[in-house]
Amino acid sequence: MTTKKFLYVNRKAPYGTIYALESLEVVLIGAAFEQDVSVAFLDDGVFQLTKGQDTGEIGVKNFSPTFRALGDYDVTKLYVEAESLAERGLTKDDLQDIQYEDEDDDYAEKPSIIIVNRAEMADVMADQDVVLSF
Amino acid sequence: MTTKKFLYVNRKAPYGTIYALESLEVVLIGAAFEQDVSVAFLDDGVFQLTKGQDTGEIGVKNFSPTFRALGDYDVTKLYVEAESLAERGLTKDDLQDIQYEDEDDDYAEKPSIIIVNRAEMADVMADQDVVLSF
Amino acid sequence: MKFGVVVSEGPYTHQAADSAYLFVKAALDNGHEVPRVFFYHDGVNVATRLSVPPQDERNIQENWTALAKDHDVDLVVCIAAAQRRGMLDENEARRQGKTADNIAEGFRISGLGQLIEMGIQTDRLVTFGD
Amino acid sequence: MKFGVVVSEGPYTHQAADSAYLFVKAALDNGHEVPRVFFYHDGVNVATRLSVPPQDERNIQENWTALAKDHDVDLVVCIAAAQRRGMLDENEARRQGKTADNIAEGFRISGLGQLIEMGIQTDRLVTFGD
Amino acid sequence: MSTLHTVNKSPFATQALLSCLNHCKDGDAVLMIEDGVYGGVSGTGMASMVEDKMKSVTLYVLSPDLSARGIDAARLIDGIQGTDYAGFVELVAKHDRTQNWL
Amino acid sequence: MSTLHTVNKSPFATQALLSCLNHCKDGDAVLMIEDGVYGGVSGTGMASMVEDKMKSVTLYVLSPDLSARGIDAARLIDGIQGTDYAGFVELVAKHDRTQNWL
């Protein structure tokens, strides 16, 4: 089968709308197709990755733990835009620690989150075959 | 029946979403209830009133002529915010000429559109019993 | 105090239907009355009984149906908005020659006049939307 | 060239389903192929056959059904998104114990894999949403 | 006479909070709910716009929505109060009308 | 290698156009559709942001959406081109990928 570069672009906050959750569902299903997958988080999309989400009082399912499982699906490139974090008063420490086991490096645990600046994010976007936006 | 002051607040552009049209449908039905009705257009809501809308090529119904019929329903106070117009490069001349017949003044034709500045718009909003937002 | 509530967006896609539900529950729990909730725009889609959410998620329609039953809340679905979006009760389906209907128990289809009437008859009106 | 198209919002509420329809028609008229259109998020609501738009408005579902028939376009409704929102075909309705179904002719319910497959097999992918 | 305004959108995504604050009268209250709660966080690119308005208007965030999004209440701009749904109900009752900035 | 970007939101309502323009590469094209067409109009509070980007990026508006909203093509910022749906299709085919800013 052809291998294409797929980018999933997340620009929306979680819970207020369903796009973040249904984007994640596409990423999980897409993983079975063995494409070259990247996920981008910019603008309000960076809010999806914050630590400590607790939806108990709004009756909506907390799907944020699923991001930590992405490594098991070989989804290991999560690009997060530095300018988007800064504008929202966030640092890398506010985000979940998401890791994967690198099978080419004796299963060493490595970080999946790659902080990039805006120009680098534009480069990532311009390097794709298929861009799906949520 | 109680008479209340109803304000319908329009902040969204027409056609891209249905809110403008379905807001107008509420205003028309509401007219039968003989309340004290005002309609506010601010932010992108001012785009609803532009002249010369022609939806032929997008296959969506052009509902803008209906605004000119509001006078027949005794809806005669259409507040339009000056700052919202200016930010969008619009003047009063870009808007439809919407009039009503004043039955207390020998059915003289009078303009329904009232251009107000932001502070005046805030006053209009603060003077209501019921505010419905679209 | 009497509260009227408007729900303007569909279930699951926007949080509006969830927020409205929690608001109405809190209002009732705190001694207020909520005689009616009006579903407009995509809010009409909350009323479908055909929804099958994942097992580990809330069922928004069932929550509303139960609330209506327990507290005698009138859940009104706007007929004009519902027709555009394919929400029909048994009567409407027959009248329109459609082969199925999809409105859940506890909801009823009626006109926009019910929204205005709610505005007139309640002390406060709150809209949850997008 | 082969185009894949995604529709992410429901009919009438957002222009997305109209824009996508006009885009697909133009692509076909200009010698391109559109093997599949994938309906996701509220886009699944486009597929309801129960919609009754006003006489003087377009019928979005019928437009898509006719286009699919005339040009052999595969209209796929995402099953996970559809279940949440109460869009079911006959099979799904039976399987879920629901008393009605509402999917129009020309649409079929299938998995998210069909979206990925469309991305792999087409030359360009365009999404219409909110 | 005063108004309770609600805002449910992120101030980084839409103009709803800005437009709301521009139309508040002295003595009004603004309650940020759903994605609107991001507007109450300190140290963001929007915080100064919000702080400027706090002399004349009382600001609240809906705590259940704040927790859902993983924001600790300690990060709120000084003077912004958290409230639960019962408090939301009380705010609606206390003010003469509610205006929802959608 | 270049990208066609589409924007379907009013720049006065959301940040989509701004974010799109901030992520374009030289030689990319941006097509404004639906409520996005307001971004192409001259003399607005957003026009200078758009004009600044025109040295490196080609801008288009979808004419059917412009007409629907009652905007005469003469009001477009100089250098922004109108196109119909056939032109939209051609733009998609001509660029290597399409990115939709929703």
Side-chain angles (χ1 to χ4, degrees):
Chain A
M1 191 155 59
T2 328
T3 297
K4 282 190 171 183
K5 289 186 165 189
F6 271 70
L7 179 69
Y8 301 97
V9 176
N10 294 288
R11 294 183 50 250
K12 290 173 186 156
Y15 307 118
T17 53
I18 202 173
Y19 304 104
L21 168 60
E22 290 192 330
S23 165
L24 192 53
E25 291 183 348
V26 177
V27 173
L28 292 173
I29 297 285
F33 286 76
E34 303 197 346
Q35 304 294 305
D36 181 357
V37 170
S38 302
V39 190
F41 298 87
L42 67 155
D43 297 337
D44 277 357
V46 301
F47 285 132
Q48 297 179 24
L49 298 175
T50 56
K51 278 183 200 165
Q53 297 178 18
D54 175 2
T55 59
E57 285 180 85
I58 62 168
V60 173
K61 187 186 160 190
N62 176 3
F63 59 89
S64 66
T66 308
F67 287 113
R68 295 202 299 274
L70 285 177
D72 302 338
Y73 291 83
D74 289 325
V75 176
T76 61
K77 291 178 285 187
L78 310 183
Y79 294 97
V80 177
E81 188 176 281
E83 287 86 344
S84 298
L85 288 173
E87 193 190 356
R88 287 160 186 79
L90 298 174
T91 67
K92 200 179 172 177
D93 289 341
D94 294 310
L95 307 184
Q96 294 194 76
D97 190 17
I98 303 175
Q99 305 202 319
Y100 71 100
E101 295 182 345
D102 187 349
E103 54 189 29
D104 298 332
D105 188 9
D106 200 22
Y107 297 90
E109 293 221 324
K110 298 188 173 177
S112 297
I113 290 184
I114 308 156
I115 309 278
V116 294
N117 65 31
R118 188 164 284 158
E120 291 167 331
M121 182 63 91
D123 288 341
V124 169
M125 291 170 167
D127 188 39
Q128 305 296 325
D129 295 307
V130 179
V131 180
L132 275 162
S133 298
F134 297 96
Chain B
M1 192 158 57
T2 327
T3 297
K4 283 190 172 182
K5 290 186 165 188
F6 271 71
L7 178 68
Y8 302 96
V9 177
N10 293 288
R11 294 184 51 248
K12 289 174 186 155
Y15 307 118
T17 54
I18 203 172
Y19 305 104
L21 168 61
E22 291 191 330
S23 166
L24 191 53
E25 291 183 350
V26 176
V27 174
L28 292 172
I29 297 285
F33 286 75
E34 302 195 347
Q35 304 295 304
D36 182 356
V37 171
S38 302
V39 190
F41 298 87
L42 66 154
D43 297 337
D44 277 356
V46 301
F47 284 132
Q48 297 179 24
L49 299 174
T50 55
K51 280 183 198 164
Q53 296 176 18
D54 175 2
T55 58
E57 286 180 85
I58 61 167
V60 174
K61 189 185 159 190
N62 177 2
F63 60 90
S64 66
T66 309
F67 287 112
R68 295 202 299 274
L70 286 176
D72 302 339
Y73 291 81
D74 288 325
V75 176
T76 61
K77 291 179 286 187
L78 311 183
Y79 295 97
V80 177
E81 187 174 283
E83 286 85 344
S84 298
L85 288 174
E87 194 191 356
R88 287 160 185 78
L90 298 173
T91 68
K92 201 179 170 174
D93 290 342
D94 294 310
L95 306 184
Q96 294 193 76
D97 189 18
I98 304 176
Q99 305 202 319
Y100 71 100
E101 296 182 346
D102 187 349
E103 55 188 27
D104 297 331
D105 188 8
D106 199 21
Y107 296 90
E109 294 221 324
K110 297 188 174 177
S112 297
I113 290 183
I114 307 156
I115 310 278
V116 295
N117 65 32
R118 188 163 283 160
E120 292 167 332
M121 183 60 91
D123 288 341
V124 169
M125 291 171 168
D127 187 39
Q128 305 296 325
D129 295 308
V130 180
V131 180
L132 275 163
S133 297
F134 297 96
Chain C
M1 205 173 256
K2 278 187 187 153
F3 290 170
V5 171
V6 181
V7 178
S8 292
E9 293 297 332
Y12 306 102
T13 306
H14 293 85
Q15 207 188 330
D18 295 296
S19 300
Y21 170 74
L22 293 171
F23 178 82
V24 171
K25 272 216 326 191
L28 294 167
D29 287 349
N30 286 276
H32 298 285
E33 294 171 60
V34 184
R36 179 176 296 161
V37 177
F38 192 85
F39 295 84
Y40 196 42
H41 307 306
D42 271 4
V44 300
N45 292 329
V46 172
T48 181
R49 70 168 194 276
L50 304 184
S51 164
V52 189
Q55 299 280 348
D56 57 350
E57 281 196 49
R58 77 281 190 205
N59 188 314
I60 296 177
Q61 170 262 311
E62 287 181 3
N63 282 348
W64 280 105
T65 295
L67 194 72
K69 197 174 177 185
D70 293 349
H71 298 274
D72 205 23
V73 182
D74 185 21
L75 305 181
V76 179
V77 175
C78 169
I79 186 164
Q83 286 183 338
R84 277 197 185 94
R85 293 167 179 86
M87 298 295 306
L88 302 170
D89 62 12
E90 223 177 305
N91 270 337
E92 270 297 297
R94 201 178 310 116
R95 217 167 60 86
Q96 304 288 352
K98 294 290 183 180
T99 50
D101 62 83
N102 52 357
I103 297 285
E105 195 189 324
F107 293 85
R108 70 183 175 94
I109 289 189
S110 188
L112 274 169
Q114 304 276 310
L115 168 60
I116 309 297
E117 193 186 88
M118 179 173 82
I120 295 170
Q121 294 177 351
T122 58
D123 303 299
R124 298 287 184 272
L125 193 138
V126 186
T127 302
F128 294 86
D130 177 40
Chain D
M1 205 172 255
K2 278 189 186 150
F3 290 170
V5 171
V6 181
V7 178
S8 292
E9 294 296 332
Y12 306 103
T13 305
H14 293 85
Q15 206 187 329
D18 295 296
S19 300
Y21 171 74
L22 294 171
F23 177 82
V24 171
K25 270 217 326 191
L28 295 167
D29 287 349
N30 285 274
H32 296 286
E33 293 171 60
V34 184
R36 180 176 295 161
V37 177
F38 193 85
F39 296 83
Y40 197 42
H41 306 307
D42 272 3
V44 300
N45 293 328
V46 171
T48 180
R49 67 167 195 277
L50 303 184
S51 163
V52 189
Q55 299 281 347
D56 57 350
E57 280 197 50
R58 78 283 189 203
N59 188 313
I60 295 176
Q61 171 262 310
E62 288 182 0
N63 282 347
W64 279 105
T65 295
L67 193 72
K69 198 174 175 185
D70 294 349
H71 298 273
D72 203 23
V73 182
D74 185 21
L75 304 181
V76 178
V77 175
C78 170
I79 187 163
Q83 285 182 340
R84 276 197 185 93
R85 293 166 179 86
M87 297 296 306
L88 303 170
D89 62 12
E90 226 178 301
N91 270 337
E92 270 299 296
R94 199 178 313 117
R95 214 166 64 85
Q96 304 288 352
K98 295 290 183 179
T99 51
D101 61 83
N102 53 357
I103 297 285
E105 195 191 324
F107 294 83
R108 69 183 177 93
I109 288 188
S110 188
L112 274 171
Q114 305 276 310
L115 168 59
I116 309 298
E117 193 186 87
M118 180 173 82
I120 295 170
Q121 294 177 350
T122 58
D123 303 299
R124 298 287 183 275
L125 194 139
V126 185
T127 302
F128 293 87
D130 178 40
Chain E
M1 298 286 280
S2 64
T3 301
L4 172 69
H5 303 264
T6 70
V7 174
N8 72 331
K9 297 293 193 315
S10 162
F12 308 103
T14 83
Q15 303 292 322
L17 178 62
L18 177 63
S19 191
C20 169
L21 294 177
N22 278 336
H23 292 88
C24 284
K25 310 271 291 180
D26 288 3
D28 282 358
V30 176
L31 172 62
M32 300 181 255
I33 69 168
E34 303 179 354
D35 290 346
V37 298
Y38 296 119
V41 179
S42 60
T44 76
M46 291 291 156
S48 71
M49 173 188 90
V50 176
E51 286 159 357
D52 285 351
K53 200 71 193 181
M54 291 183 62
K55 291 146 222 153
S56 54
V57 169
T58 315
L59 297 181
Y60 302 86
V61 302
L62 193 61
S63 301
D65 279 322
L66 200 66
S67 306
R69 287 156 184 82
I71 305 167
D72 195 288
R75 294 182 84 143
L76 290 177
I77 293 167
D78 268 347
I80 296 189
Q81 301 164 51
T83 183
D84 60 8
Y85 272 96
F88 183 176
V89 168
E90 216 171 286
L91 284 169
V92 170
K94 180 177 150 194
H95 295 276
D96 301 283
R97 71 193 70 72
T98 301
Q99 179 163 358
N100 310 102
W101 295 79
L102 306 176
Chain F
M1 297 288 280
S2 65
T3 301
L4 172 70
H5 303 265
T6 71
V7 174
N8 73 331
K9 297 293 192 318
S10 161
F12 308 104
T14 83
Q15 303 292 323
L17 178 61
L18 177 63
S19 191
C20 169
L21 293 178
N22 277 338
H23 291 88
C24 284
K25 310 272 290 181
D26 288 4
D28 283 358
V30 176
L31 172 63
M32 300 181 254
I33 69 169
E34 302 178 354
D35 290 347
V37 299
Y38 295 120
V41 179
S42 61
T44 75
M46 291 293 157
S48 71
M49 174 189 88
V50 176
E51 286 159 356
D52 285 350
K53 201 68 193 182
M54 291 183 64
K55 289 148 223 154
S56 54
V57 169
T58 315
L59 297 181
Y60 301 85
V61 302
L62 193 61
S63 302
D65 279 323
L66 200 67
S67 306
R69 288 155 183 82
I71 306 168
D72 195 289
R75 294 183 82 143
L76 291 176
I77 293 168
D78 270 347
I80 296 189
Q81 301 163 51
T83 184
D84 59 8
Y85 272 96
F88 184 175
V89 168
E90 216 171 289
L91 284 169
V92 171
K94 182 178 146 193
H95 295 276
D96 300 285
R97 73 193 68 73
T98 302
Q99 179 162 359
N100 310 104
W101 295 79
L102 305 175

